[in-house]
Amino acid sequence: MNPENMNETGGVVVTKMNDLLNWARLSSIWPLSFGIACCAIEMMGSFASTYDMDRFGVFPRPSARQADVIIIAGTVTFKMAERIKRLYEQMPEPKYVISMGSCSNCGGPYWQHGYHVVKGVDRVIPVDVYVQGCPPRPEALIGAIIELQKKIEGENFLGKSKATSTKVA
């Protein structure tokens, strides 16, 4: 093949295996949506056609065994914490967690007067991205997905090293 014609007919892409794997993982995030309270309405709104999360490669899955991200949206009670932990353990590696809203971040307004509310889902499972607000807007969840994509892009998949949690305003 003539080198002058190579640009016209196609060519060879040279990249690192780690970059290729990270690009594939950040371009196809499959969340397990776990909507417990009013934050779930905003999460459902972000999956609707107005915000179109499909353009980021986000495709909600109904099973924990098919998902690589779990979005906790709402008040977490001690009874529900056991189920969240079980779903998290069923997810394949690498797995990520987005905590959406004040209730899942720190217990919200309910932890002061209720004995049944967990003071943050990070006491049950490790959280990668926190989304602030009560309830947070769909734009904030989209920002969290973008932050998670940046985190995945910076990971070393072949020699796994996990970064710290980030907050999204």
Side-chain angles (χ1 to χ4, degrees):
M1 181 176 248
N2 192 357
E4 288 91 28
N5 295 340
M6 188 172 281
N7 288 338
E8 296 172 9
T9 61
V12 178
V13 176
V14 179
T15 186
K16 293 184 258 182
M17 184 63 156
N18 201 32
D19 292 343
L20 180 66
L21 289 173
N22 284 343
W23 172 79
R25 287 177 38 230
L26 69 87
S27 299
S28 62
I29 294 176
W30 290 4
L32 172 67
S33 53
F34 198 80
I36 308 170
C38 48
C39 290
I41 304 296
E42 298 295 327
M43 181 179 59
M44 288 182 246
S46 64
F47 289 133
S49 60
T50 304
Y51 296 98
D52 191 23
M53 297 270 281
D54 291 342
R55 63 189 161 147
F56 296 109
V58 177
F59 185 70
R61 304 304 301 163
S63 170
R65 291 185 175 94
Q66 298 171 345
D68 52 2
V69 178
I70 184 168
I71 301 172
I72 307 294
T75 310
V76 179
T77 61
F78 286 105
K79 270 188 175 179
M80 195 59 68
E82 298 170 17
R83 279 89 174 160
I84 291 172
K85 186 163 181 70
R86 184 177 304 141
L87 285 172
Y88 179 76
E89 290 169 352
Q90 289 177 358
M91 292 171 57
E93 288 286 339
K95 50 190 168 186
Y96 305 97
V97 178
I98 296 176
S99 176
M100 183 177 175
S102 296
C103 292
S104 62
N105 290 346
C106 62
Y110 305 109
W111 71 270
Q112 293 173 339
H113 306 292
Y115 63 91
H116 60 289
V117 177
V118 177
K119 294 172 182 62
V121 74
D122 55 353
R123 295 181 184 224
V124 181
I125 55 176
V127 175
D128 294 297
V129 181
Y130 294 91
V131 182
Q132 301 170 352
C134 184
R137 299 269 311 141
E139 294 90 351
L141 182 58
I142 291 172
I145 295 290
I146 292 171
E147 283 295 318
L148 188 62
Q149 286 177 335
K150 289 177 187 174
K151 182 177 278 196
I152 292 170
E153 187 177 25
E155 280 186 352
N156 188 5
F157 186 68
L158 300 176
K160 183 134 168 121
S161 65
K162 212 150 186 187
T164 58
S165 299
T166 56
K167 286 190 176 183
V168 177

